[in-house]
Every structure is written in C-alpha cells, then in structure tokens.
Amino acid sequence: MSLWLRASSCFSVVVALGEARAVTGGMMADEEEEAKQSVQLLQELVDQLYSFRDHYFETHPVEYASQKHQDVREEMEKTLHKMEEAVGYSQEKAWVLMLTGKALNVTPDYSPQAEELLSKAVKLEPELVEAWNQLGEVYWKKGDVAAAHTCFSGALSHYKNKVSLQNLSMVLRQLRAETGEEHSRHVMDSVRQAKLAVQMDVHDGRSWYILGNAYLSLFFNAGQNPKISQQALSAYAQAEKVDRTASSNPDLHLNRATLYKYEENYEEALEGFSRAAALDPAWPEPQQREQQLLEFLDRLTSLLDSKGKVKAKKLQSMLGNLRPAQLGPCGDGRYLAASGQKVALELKPLSTLQPGMNSGTVVLGKVLFSLTTEEKVPFTFGLVDSEGPCFAVTVYNMVQSWGVLIGDSVAIPEPHLRRHQIQHKGKNYSFSCIRVETPLLLVVNGKPQGSSSQAASTVAYRPQSE
C-alpha cells in the first residue's frame, strides 16, 4: 500500500467514525477512554519514528550515513501501517490528522499528502499549535517561505512555544526583502526569536543551533564583528553540549566550518566540512567546500614557496624599486591608529613580524601574485620584501573590482600576523599570513585606498533543514 493510501485510509476512518457518532448520539465513557488511548498510541508511534531519525547515529555507525534517508522512509512506512491499525473510536479527528501528517513530514522532502492532512487538521482545530508548526515546516520544504512565516506566527498567536520561535527565527532570514535595510531587520528579529526560544528551554539543542545560525547571519550582515562570531561559535558549542544529537547534524558542522574558514581557522574548517560530508554523503556541498579549500591551500602554498614563479632577476629589479615614499601616510606620522591618535610607524622587514598585532609597525613589499576563491572573499596576494620569504596577505570586505597587481608596492600598517600549521587527511600546509579586515587599511603605490574599495562580504550557508 502506498504512503498516500495509508494516510488517506487513516483520514477516512476518522471521518467515518465521526459520522457514526452523529447517528448514535455520541460515545459512551468507556469509548471515550478508548479513543484517548488510541490517540496516545498514535502519539507514541510518531514519537518513536522521530526518535529513530534524530538518534540514528547512536544506533548506526557513520558508515551507514548514505542509508539513513532510506531507513527513515522505511521506518515511516512501518509507522503509518501501525497507525492505520491503531486508529479506533476517536473524537480527536484533528489530532489523528495532525499525527498522520507529522509522520509523513519526517523526511526532508516536501510531502503534498502531509500538507493536505495538516491543512485539514488546522481547519478542524485552529488552536492545535503542533499542526500549525508541522504545516509551516511543510511549506518551508515546499519553498513557500511566506506561508511558512504565516503558520509559525499564527501558532505563536495562540500560545508562546519554543518550536514556533525556532522556526520563525529560521524563516525570517529567508523572507523576501525589498531593501538591504529590511533584510537587516529580518536578521535582527531572527536573533531575537532564537534568543526567546533558548530562554524557554536552555536544554534544547535545536534552539541553540538555530541561535548559532542567527548569529552567523548577523555576523555577515553587520560588519563582521568578532564578538558576534564568538557568540555564534558559543551557541554551536552549547547545542552539542546539551544535545548529543547535535553532533550528528551535518548542517551544524557545515555552518560552523564556514565561520571557521572566514576566521582562517583552516584546519577546523576542513574537519567541519569533512564531518558534514560523512554525515550526509548525498549532500554534495560539504565535500565541494572541503575540496575548494584544499585546492586554495595547495595553490597558495605553492605560489608562496616559488615566490609567484617570478624569476630571480625580475624579483631583484622589483625589490630595487621599493621606496620610503611608497609608505604614504604610514611613513610621515599621519597614520591614524585604532585609538584615534596619529602615530609614527616604524618600517620593519616582514621576517621580524610576531604572531598577533604588530603595533607601531609598518611593512612594505612587492606583490608577486594574486589569488581569488570561488566566493571571491578574501582577495589573497603574495607580498615579499628584500629580507626573504613571501608572506600571504588576505583582504576582506572589498568590492569585487578591487585588487592589486603584480609589481604593486603595498604598505600594511600594524599588520596582524598568523603562522599557519595545517594538517588534514595526510596533507600538511605551513605558511605565514597577514590578515587585513578592509582595503582601507592598505597603501598601494603610496596611495591610501578610498571608501569605494570597501564592501560588506556575503556568504552562503545552508538554512533549509535547521
């Protein structure tokens, strides 16, 4: 029997029973008790189905990840069959419809049968909040974000509950916005709803995970504030702490790895992409992200080691053209520090830089190569001076048209240095990198960069199955 026939069968039984009650004048007390027990049994069957899905990797090794989707579908079929057998005399038609729709909604795929049954459930009992939440999730899978938003908002109008708050937070970030300002308001409201969900139950891992995603979205829409980045990472960590199933969520690993990559925690990013791919082999994005990052590191370290494959004679000629005048405002005491004070910077070789912020220092070198990623952020180039090794420089928050050319002279005030030692799947990478948060900090060929060179970065993350 097909899933739709089973679901329809459950619904038909409920309708027939309702008609029978109309003829007989209702049920006796013992029949009412039997009806309650029937609904309770249906609830237990659906709860067991969702527990099978959510705790799959507690009973199956990760090597079975490729079978999870099929195993869940088979468990759904078994559950629907048991539910069909368990439907008895019940005055709770809306509950039976809701539970049947919820069972059909256990997979990540959109189910038109679930939509029909849940729609009937909310019409029969408009205050059945769980039916509204399930119907909202069906619309979300269908791609009808506006309808999903209506469902979750409607559920909250009946009573405050964490599931509606979680889902509303998720949907708000995907609502269509006419302007960037409107989208920013949606993101801020998304954070607020997620916080409310956490406050309702601090032990709910899904609430913490969705709060992490809300902070992640806020981070990329509000100037990449490091404090917000740490809030996102803390929320993800808390999700794993309070809910052991969170560690089996491939979306959490991918979204957190995206943040790690932006923060240049490359080893953690690679591990996160790899873990997400292992947990959901049918989802190509984690493996693609992992491979793209490995290719970026391969190309970068190769170019650094070969100094951009620039021949020695040409390199010597380029370095001979470095002049103090190319420091611009960094060389004449006009540099404005983060404190707001004008300070004099000391020109030092790249080789003398220490990990972290090198206050009171400026470096000057020649560009040997440039490198862009699929996401266009960051813009990466190699910088060398007369003292020796080539350093990577990563620049964020620039417009796509901005860049530097081979042979350009670049001065970097108070450079922030990181020495990378990365190991992943038998590969090893070692290099030094200067991170620059905005091109406005750079002086190129003696000229400060104008405000037109800066733009807020954007990044994609997977919201569909939060």
Side-chain angles (χ1 to χ4, degrees):
M1 184 182 290
S2 71
L3 299 180
W4 169 230
L5 288 176
R6 288 176 183 168
S8 300
S9 177
C10 288
F11 177 56
S12 298
V13 170
V14 176
V15 173
L17 290 172
E19 292 170 347
R21 284 196 299 275
V23 173
T24 61
M27 294 188 297
M28 302 299 289
D30 58 340
E31 291 176 330
E32 291 180 359
E33 181 61 29
E34 182 181 345
K36 290 180 181 178
Q37 292 177 357
S38 176
V39 170
Q40 183 178 352
L41 176 58
L42 294 179
Q43 181 73 66
E44 291 173 355
L45 288 170
V46 175
D47 288 346
Q48 290 169 9
L49 170 62
Y50 275 75
S51 179
F52 176 84
R53 182 197 69 179
D54 296 340
H55 296 267
Y56 185 84
F57 290 107
E58 294 175 30
T59 55
H60 299 77
V62 72
E63 290 77 18
Y64 279 58
S66 61
Q67 295 180 212
K68 180 182 177 182
H69 185 66
Q70 181 60 33
D71 288 348
V72 171
R73 289 193 66 84
E74 290 177 1
E75 195 69 18
M76 178 183 72
E77 292 186 37
K78 294 176 187 176
T79 299
L80 287 168
H81 182 70
K82 292 176 183 177
M83 291 175 71
E84 182 183 343
E85 295 177 343
V87 172
Y89 294 102
S90 177
Q91 293 175 320
E92 305 292 345
K93 284 195 297 183
W95 272 91
V96 175
L97 288 167
M98 184 275 291
L99 290 170
T100 307
K102 183 176 180 179
L104 286 162
N105 201 26
V106 73
T107 71
D109 308 314
Y110 162 70
S111 168
Q113 297 92 342
E115 179 182 347
E116 182 172 347
L117 294 174
L118 292 165
S119 296
K120 289 175 180 176
V122 296
K123 288 177 182 177
L124 284 172
E125 193 169 330
E127 294 187 1
L128 188 53
V129 167
E130 188 172 4
W132 281 113
N133 284 333
Q134 286 294 320
L135 183 59
E137 290 191 20
V138 169
Y139 283 132
W140 175 252
K141 295 174 183 178
K142 188 179 182 180
D144 192 341
V145 179
H149 180 267
T150 299
C151 287
F152 301 136
S153 299
L156 286 168
S157 70
H158 292 297
Y159 77 87
K160 184 178 177 182
N161 67 97
K162 65 181 182 182
V163 174
S164 296
L165 290 168
Q166 292 168 352
N167 291 337
L168 188 57
S169 172
M170 177 177 70
V171 166
L172 278 165
R173 299 193 299 276
Q174 302 302 312
L175 270 183
R176 182 177 178 181
E178 298 297 331
T179 65
E181 183 179 350
E182 184 181 6
H183 177 67
S184 295
R185 287 199 300 270
H186 288 165
V187 172
M188 290 297 296
D189 195 19
S190 168
V191 173
R192 187 173 66 85
Q193 302 297 336
K195 284 182 176 179
L196 290 172
V198 167
Q199 290 169 8
M200 289 197 71
D201 184 359
V202 296
H203 300 293
D204 189 311
R206 185 170 185 261
S207 292
W208 283 107
Y209 162 63
I210 290 176
L211 178 59
N213 285 351
Y215 278 133
L216 176 66
S217 185
L218 180 62
F219 176 75
F220 286 111
N221 281 275
Q224 296 81 55
N225 187 326
K227 181 180 178 181
I228 298 174
S229 170
Q230 289 307 308
Q231 288 174 316
L233 291 174
S234 295
Y236 289 141
Q238 192 66 16
E240 291 185 305
K241 181 179 179 181
V242 302
D243 183 0
R244 62 181 182 271
T245 65
S247 295
S248 301
N249 181 352
D251 305 84
L252 184 151
H253 290 286
L254 179 124
N255 291 344
R256 181 167 56 189
T258 299
L259 193 55
Y260 280 144
K261 178 178 179 289
Y262 183 88
E263 294 196 331
E264 299 185 3
N265 294 328
Y266 294 126
E267 188 166 326
E268 292 89 340
L270 289 166
E271 290 173 357
F273 292 141
S274 179
R275 180 63 177 167
L279 290 168
D280 192 350
W283 182 24
E285 187 172 354
Q287 188 175 358
Q288 290 171 358
R289 297 271 200 98
E290 180 187 11
Q291 189 58 37
Q292 286 170 0
L293 182 50
L294 286 171
E295 290 174 358
F296 169 76
L297 293 170
D298 281 337
R299 293 166 61 199
L300 177 59
T301 51
S302 175
L303 287 166
L304 290 171
D305 291 342
S306 66
K307 293 188 177 181
K309 300 182 180 179
V310 177
K311 294 182 179 179
K313 188 175 180 180
K314 182 178 180 180
L315 176 59
Q316 198 63 34
S317 175
M318 290 168 64
L319 294 174
N321 290 327
L322 284 174
R323 299 285 185 271
Q326 294 163 346
L327 293 171
C330 295
D332 56 13
R334 291 187 289 128
Y335 173 70
L336 196 65
S339 63
Q341 300 293 319
K342 290 183 179 180
V343 298
L345 300 175
E346 181 183 356
L347 177 61
K348 290 186 178 181
L350 288 165
S351 59
T352 65
L353 295 181
Q354 298 299 313
M357 183 69 72
N358 289 261
S359 300
T361 297
V362 61
V363 294
L364 176 65
K366 284 288 185 177
V367 177
L368 296 185
F369 65 84
S370 64
L371 188 61
T372 56
T373 65
E374 294 286 334
E375 296 171 337
K376 307 300 182 184
V377 178
F379 182 90
T380 305
F381 63 92
L383 192 71
V384 68
D385 60 19
S386 58
E387 293 293 320
C390 189
F391 281 41
V393 180
T394 50
V395 184
Y396 294 82
N397 299 315
M398 75 291 168
V399 294
Q400 287 194 13
S401 59
W402 183 88
V404 292
L405 303 175
I406 295 174
D408 280 347
S409 300
V410 177
I412 308 174
E414 300 192 314
H416 188 281
L417 179 71
R418 182 166 182 178
R419 301 194 190 281
H420 290 282
Q421 298 287 340
I422 304 161
Q423 295 182 343
H424 184 71
K425 294 184 177 179
K427 291 193 173 187
N428 295 277
Y429 305 97
S430 178
F431 61 96
S432 296
C433 182
I434 298 172
R435 182 186 177 107
V436 181
E437 295 298 338
T438 168
L440 296 178
L441 295 173
L442 300 177
V443 177
V444 181
N445 298 324
K447 298 178 181 179
Q449 301 302 283
S451 59
S452 61
S453 65
Q454 179 174 281
S457 64
T458 58
V459 67
Y461 72 101
R462 189 193 195 192
Q464 285 83 359
S465 54
E466 293 182 73

